Amino acid sequence: MAASVPPSRPRIPGSGLAKGLAVTLRTMTRKTVTEQYPDAQPELPPRTRGVIGLFEENCTVCMLCARECPDWCIYIDSHKETVPAATPGGRDRSRNVLDRFAIDFSLCMYCGICIEVCPFDALFWSPEFEYAETDIRELTHERDKLREWMWTVPAPPALDPGAEEPKELAAARRTAEKLAARQEPAAAPEQPAPEQEGRE
């Protein structure tokens, strides 16, 4: 037994056109929100994903960002340097020195995985977005350019006043207080004992 089909309403000729014109008339009465870019710069949210800034001092060349990048658009070159022992009889250590850090923004899809996996906070989102080039081959920006963008990174938002203190800050504060308590008795000058009166 076939299901019964409800009867369709008869269409009024021109009803679609009337609905479209109603939307147009409602929009015409509202104030325009067009921003005259580039004469007026847009007001971007503070954590806008514009480009990636590099804080070179924090980079340890661990290569996590390059390995986790789904587009393989991060290029890192480094070499090892031997650091002499700090104490006599100690052994020399080696450390990685960054030679090249480049990001090809023609391949980057702005997923932010590289920033999330960086364990040393060397990569940050910058709201800078005016970096277009006439040649796609010039969209590979080296570490000097990435460093310039680092200074446009906004400060992180303030913590909620009622929030708990981060564990790292609490541990660092306790350690600093212990060191200060140990140094206070050592820094206090020893006062000579008072002479006894009535000594014959």
Side-chain angles (χ1 to χ4, degrees), residues 127-196:
E128 191 72 32
F129 65 94
E130 296 177 313
Y131 59 97
E133 301 288 347
T134 55
D135 189 350
I136 195 171
R137 291 170 294 187
E138 294 176 4
L139 279 172
T140 302
H141 294 293
E142 300 291 333
R143 66 180 182 176
D144 296 335
K145 188 68 175 174
L146 300 177
R147 172 118 181 147
E148 288 176 23
W149 285 329
M150 182 61 214
W151 309 123
T152 63
V153 173
L159 294 175
D160 184 8
E164 292 182 12
E165 186 178 27
K167 290 183 281 186
E168 298 84 1
L169 289 178
R173 184 178 42 75
R174 283 194 300 269
T175 305
E177 288 172 358
K178 286 179 186 176
L179 288 173
R182 286 182 196 160
Q183 291 175 353
E184 282 178 8
E190 294 183 10
Q191 296 181 355
E195 295 183 7
Q196 295 179 357

Side-chain angles (χ1 to χ4, degrees), residues 52-75:
I52 297 169
L54 170 68
F55 191 55
E56 194 175 327
E57 285 78 5
N58 285 0
C59 183
T60 60
V61 198
C62 66
M63 305 289 284
L64 269 176
C65 54
R67 283 199 302 256
E68 295 295 329
C69 178
D71 290 334
W72 292 84
C73 64
I74 300 175
Y75 310 111

Side-chain angles (χ1 to χ4, degrees), residues 7 15 21 34 51 66 98 104 113 127 132 134 152 154 160 174 185 187-188:
S15 62
L21 287 174
T34 305
V51 289
L98 186 66
D104 187 353
I113 291 175
T134 55
T152 63
D160 184 8
R174 283 194 300 269

Side-chain angles (χ1 to χ4, degrees), residues 33-51:
V33 293
T34 305
E35 294 182 357
Q36 300 300 324
Y37 177 81
D39 298 329
Q41 291 291 320
E43 293 182 11
L44 300 172
R47 308 309 281 176
T48 300
R49 292 188 178 192
V51 289

Side-chain angles (χ1 to χ4, degrees), residues 60-133:
T60 60
V61 198
C62 66
M63 305 289 284
L64 269 176
C65 54
R67 283 199 302 256
E68 295 295 329
C69 178
D71 290 334
W72 292 84
C73 64
I74 300 175
Y75 310 111
I76 301 175
D77 291 330
S78 67
H79 69 276
K80 287 195 178 286
E81 269 186 7
T82 303
V83 179
T87 59
R91 67 183 183 114
D92 295 343
R93 303 201 177 261
S94 64
R95 68 181 179 100
N96 289 326
V97 178
L98 186 66
D99 292 329
R100 181 185 186 216
F101 194 107
I103 299 177
D104 187 353
F105 285 101
S106 66
L107 295 176
C108 180
M109 63 181 185
Y110 304 91
C111 62
I113 291 175
C114 57
I115 295 170
E116 290 175 16
V117 301
C118 181
F120 302 105
D121 288 336
L123 296 172
F124 295 88
W125 281 118
S126 164
E128 191 72 32
F129 65 94
E130 296 177 313
Y131 59 97
E133 301 288 347

Side-chain angles (χ1 to χ4, degrees), residues 1-19:
M1 187 174 172
S4 60
V5 178
S8 59
R9 293 182 180 176
R11 291 189 68 141
I12 301 171
S15 62
L17 178 64
K19 287 180 183 177

